[in-house]
């Protein structure tokens, strides 16, 4: 099957890629771009481990064919860290002990970032809604919600 | 082995042209149903030569609510419905249904058109739209036809969409005068499918009575239908004469009349009755009747 040409901006860098007809955004990110922070859990939209931000919205990268998002701006967990060090969200996750095995963390961070980018002062309910598609087997979610609240406070002011 | 060629349409014309020219084309919208099938290498892919991504077709997007008429483009996502001020103000039961679907990530991609076209018995977009007596516009290169949503599904996962057609939009008349609505849902998707029921009640009211009621349910029946007997019970009734429990019983009887007695009936009968009862109570309360 013929490959398709796509252009993506990932974490601020432009890429011209060729993708297969069945290639998911998750595959492109992990295999072509070698950005392995994004995880594959359930592969069917239930766990959120593969969450990335596509044009400002949190999406499950296992549910999207890469060719569908040709021309889009994508942020993965690798996009969080900058020259000035850890992102406030990452610091808050560490501080609030919201990371145990860490498998869900990249997805959680992406859902939280998408929320804070559009809603810098979310309520607890809004945080819960933003994270409802991200499963964590280790923590009780409370630490994660606390971390997002802390990051929102630090970031906002 | 699954093999298909992926195509992308960038305009409605291009999309209709491809549907007209090629055979064995499957439309791909948000992918939240289809990508699950793809992951499981579902048999349906054996019959698919082309997967046609329509997410770049702007003509299929957007919400327009006028005073008399409304329309929702098939590619409108559940997140767009949840966040639309017009929908929240005028048709809050549609926002309620959309916000109950999946998760934030799912709602950001999943479309209302895909929810209807996939036609799962438990699809949550049906009951609010059937309560609105909505029609779907099915367009092919040759033209368009309008079908009442309640006639759109033939059987679970099977609709009357023809191979060369796309679901373009959903159209409806806006409710008139003073109206109230209630959307109720029990059960989660991951739970056994019998434990999921959703319900919409939409009622136009006038001078302390119901002028026109529309009750519809998702997942109570194999494909979504309006509950005409409950509508009839409520229509024209003074608030004081409405008994929510009776309305619930009528709905439950009507459901069993459609599905027959099944293994799930002992669960579904009281569950549906209760949902209708609650919706009618909501209506009376919102309409300011507390008799
Ligand atoms: C984790 C998870 C949770 C979910 N939770 C819910 C839930 O709570 N309630 C619920 O109702 N659903 C739920 N779903 C199912 C799904 O998200 C919805 O049915 C969604 O609205 C489908 O839309 P889509 O755009 O993703 O469809 P797609 O997967 O792209 O397509 C679905 C079907 O519709 C056809 N199609 C799509 N658009 C058109 C069109 N415009 N014209 C003709 N045919 C078309 C496709 O060919 C395909 O057969 C869930 C799914 C997942 C993965
Ligand atoms: S791997 Fe994508 S949601 Fe689980
Ligand atoms: S920290 Fe282990 S799954 Fe969340």
């Amino acid at each position: 099957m013929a490959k398709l040409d796509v252009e993506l901006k990932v974490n601020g860098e432009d890429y011209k890629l060729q993708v297969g007809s069945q290639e998911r955004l998750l595959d492109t990110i992990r295999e072509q771009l070698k950005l392995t922070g994004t995880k594959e859990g359930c592969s069917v939209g239930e766990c959120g481990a593969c969450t990335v931000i596509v044009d400002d919205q949190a999406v499950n990268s296992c549910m999207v064919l890469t060719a569908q998002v040709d021309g889009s701006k994508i942020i993965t967990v690798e996009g969080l860290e900058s020259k000035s060090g850890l992102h406030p969200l990452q610091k808050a996750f560490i501080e609030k002990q919201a990371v145990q095995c860490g498998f869900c963390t990249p997805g959680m961070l992406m859902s939280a970032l998408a929320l804070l980018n559009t809603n810098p002062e979310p309520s607890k309910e809004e945080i819960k809604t933003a994270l409802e598609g991200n499963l964590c087997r280790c923590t009780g979610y409370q630490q994660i919600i606390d971390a997002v609240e802390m990051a929102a406070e630090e970031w906002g002011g | 082995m699954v093999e298909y060629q992926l195509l992308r349409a960038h305009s409605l014309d291009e999309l209709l042209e491809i549907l007209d020219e090629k055979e064995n084309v499957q439309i791909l919208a948000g992918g939240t149903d289809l990508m699950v099938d793809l992951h499981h290498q579902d048999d349906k892919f054996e019959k698919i030569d082309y997967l046609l991504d329509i997410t770049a077709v702007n003509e299929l997007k957007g919400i327009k609510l006028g005073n008399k008429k409304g329309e929702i483009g098939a590619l409108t996502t559940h997140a767009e419905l949840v966040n639309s001020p017009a929908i929240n103000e005028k048709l809050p039961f549609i926002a309620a249904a959309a916000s109950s679907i999946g998760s934030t990530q799912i709602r950001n991609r999943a479309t209302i058109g895909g929810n209807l076209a996939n036609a799962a018995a438990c699809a949550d977009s049906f009951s609010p739209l059937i309560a609105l007596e909505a029609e779907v516009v099915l367009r092919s290169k040759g033209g368009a036809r309008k079908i009442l949503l309640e006639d759109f599904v033939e059987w679970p996962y099977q609709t009357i969409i023809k191979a060369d057609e796309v679901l373009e939009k959903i159209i409806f008349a806006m409710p008139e005068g003073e109206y109230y609505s209630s959307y109720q849902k029990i059960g989660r998707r991951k739970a056994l499918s019998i434990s999921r029921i959703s319900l919409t009640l939409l009622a136009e009211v006038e001078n302390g009575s119901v002028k026109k009621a529309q009750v519809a349910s998702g997942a109570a029946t194999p494909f979504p239908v309006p509950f005409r007997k409950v509508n009839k019970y409520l229509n024209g009734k003074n608030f004081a004469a409405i008994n929510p429990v009776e309305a619930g019983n009528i709905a439950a009887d009507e459901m069993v009349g459609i599905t027959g007695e099944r293994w799930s009936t002992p669960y579904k009968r009281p569950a549906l009755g209760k949902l209708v009862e609650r919706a009618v109570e909501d209506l009376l309360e919102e309409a300011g009747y507390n008799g």
Side-chain angles (χ1 to χ4, degrees):
Chain A
M1 289 284 155
K3 294 244 177 188
L4 299 112
D5 293 315
V6 298
E7 292 184 20
L8 300 176
K9 198 184 213 45
V10 184
N11 302 332
E13 269 185 58
D14 290 316
Y15 293 90
K16 283 194 169 128
L17 303 165
Q18 291 207 313
V19 299
S21 272
Q22 295 186 42
E23 185 169 330
R24 302 166 303 170
L25 182 57
L26 175 63
D27 306 322
T28 307
I29 289 171
R30 287 183 56 89
E31 285 157 29
Q32 291 216 48
L33 306 182
K34 308 283 183 220
L35 296 169
T36 51
T38 305
K39 303 295 179 210
E40 177 156 17
C42 67
S43 319
V44 290
E46 309 265 1
C47 76
C50 66
T51 304
V52 300
I53 300 178
V54 177
D55 295 333
D56 302 324
Q57 291 191 315
V59 308
N60 295 316
S61 61
C62 71
M63 301 247 92
V64 183
L65 293 175
T66 306
Q68 290 189 282
V69 295
D70 183 18
S72 293
K73 266 197 334 225
I74 291 161
I75 300 174
T76 70
V77 69
E78 288 85 354
L80 273 181
E81 231 172 305
S82 64
K83 289 193 191 75
S84 50
L86 290 181
H87 187 275
L89 264 170
Q90 290 171 307
K91 283 189 202 149
F93 267 62
I94 294 165
E95 168 121 6
K96 292 286 176 188
Q97 302 189 327
V99 185
Q100 286 183 28
C101 80
F103 189 78
C104 69
T105 311
M108 289 281 180
L109 288 168
M110 288 297 101
S111 287
L113 181 66
L115 170 71
L116 297 185
N117 278 340
T118 49
N119 181 359
E121 291 175 43
S123 66
K124 201 171 235 116
E125 256 343 281
E126 287 168 330
I127 295 173
K128 282 189 188 160
T129 303
L131 301 181
E132 74 190 332
N134 296 82
L135 303 186
C136 174
R137 294 180 180 209
C138 307
T139 73
Y141 294 102
Q142 191 54 50
Q143 295 95 310
I144 296 173
I145 293 166
D146 290 347
V148 178
E149 273 185 325
M150 179 179 152
E153 274 163 31
E154 298 230 328
W155 208 357
Chain B
M1 208 180 79
V2 170
E3 237 178 288
Y4 58 76
Q5 180 64 48
L6 182 65
L7 304 172
R8 277 204 104 194
H10 297 88
S11 70
L12 187 55
D13 281 343
E14 188 185 354
L15 157 62
L16 297 175
E17 197 65 48
I18 295 170
L19 289 177
D20 184 63
E21 258 177 24
K22 297 205 174 355
E23 285 188 9
N24 305 327
V25 182
Q26 178 93 22
I27 286 173
L28 173 67
T32 59
D33 281 313
L34 221 43
M35 291 296 289
V36 175
D37 296 337
L38 179 63
H39 179 71
H40 294 129
Q41 303 274 299
D42 192 281
D43 288 348
K44 74 158 66 154
F45 280 91
E46 276 170 25
K47 285 171 264 157
I48 299 174
D49 292 331
Y50 299 95
L51 197 59
L52 174 56
D53 173 41
I54 62 171
T55 52
V57 179
N58 287 327
E59 293 101 313
L60 302 179
K61 295 178 188 170
I63 302 163
K64 287 186 212 143
L65 300 185
N67 287 330
K68 292 234 145 71
K69 289 185 190 164
E71 62 176 69
I72 299 173
L75 274 183
T76 306
T77 63
H78 300 300
E80 284 161 352
L81 292 167
V82 173
N83 294 328
S84 156
I87 292 281
N88 280 284
E89 185 199 339
K90 295 180 179 163
L91 306 171
F93 53 102
I94 291 187
S99 72
S100 81
I101 291 176
S103 59
T104 297
Q105 292 97 314
I106 294 291
R107 288 190 294 275
N108 282 340
R109 291 290 300 173
T111 65
I112 192 166
N115 196 237
L116 299 178
N118 191 58
C122 57
D124 286 311
S125 304
F126 279 97
S127 83
L129 294 172
I130 287 183
L132 265 178
E133 298 176 282
E135 293 176 301
V136 285
V137 177
L138 306 178
R139 187 170 291 280
S140 66
K141 196 181 168 193
R145 56 181 180 138
K146 285 190 263 181
I147 304 288
L148 208 54
L149 186 57
E150 58 178 274
D151 298 328
F152 172 68
V153 181
E154 288 190 306
W155 202 244
Y157 301 107
Q158 200 179 318
T159 72
I160 59 159
I161 301 182
K162 296 196 187 121
D164 63 346
E165 285 177 330
V166 63
L167 198 174
E168 180 186 4
K169 59 187 169 185
I170 300 129
I171 57 173
F172 42 83
M174 295 296 284
E176 284 180 16
E178 190 183 347
Y179 57 91
Y180 299 94
S181 65
S182 171
Y183 178 81
Q184 316 259 341
K185 178 170 166 181
I186 43 172
R188 294 190 60 87
R189 176 180 136 99
K190 276 173 90 187
L192 269 179
S193 63
I194 62 153
S195 61
R196 296 191 68 225
I197 302 185
S198 61
L199 183 100
T200 303
L201 165 64
L202 171 64
E204 295 174 8
V205 304
E206 198 174 67
N207 302 327
S209 37
V210 173
K211 199 168 129 205
K212 182 178 172 197
Q214 293 289 338
V215 177
S217 169
T221 48
F223 40 90
V225 291
F227 283 112
R228 294 207 165 79
K229 290 183 183 157
V230 196
N231 297 345
K232 206 168 147 210
Y233 168 79
L234 293 168
N235 283 344
K237 247 198 196 72
N238 195 281
F239 293 156
I242 293 174
N243 177 346
V245 177
E246 201 177 339
N249 284 335
I250 294 171
D253 285 346
E254 192 169 0
M255 173 188 75
V256 179
I258 296 164
T259 60
E261 287 282 341
R262 301 173 158 209
W263 63 278
S264 59
T265 307
Y267 167 78
K268 278 197 173 173
R269 205 187 175 305
L272 178 71
K274 202 76 199 164
L275 284 186
V276 172
E277 185 185 322
R278 256 195 252 154
V280 173
E281 280 168 0
D282 272 7
L283 159 72
L284 294 177
E285 198 180 306
E286 272 191 56
Y289 176 79
N290 22 13

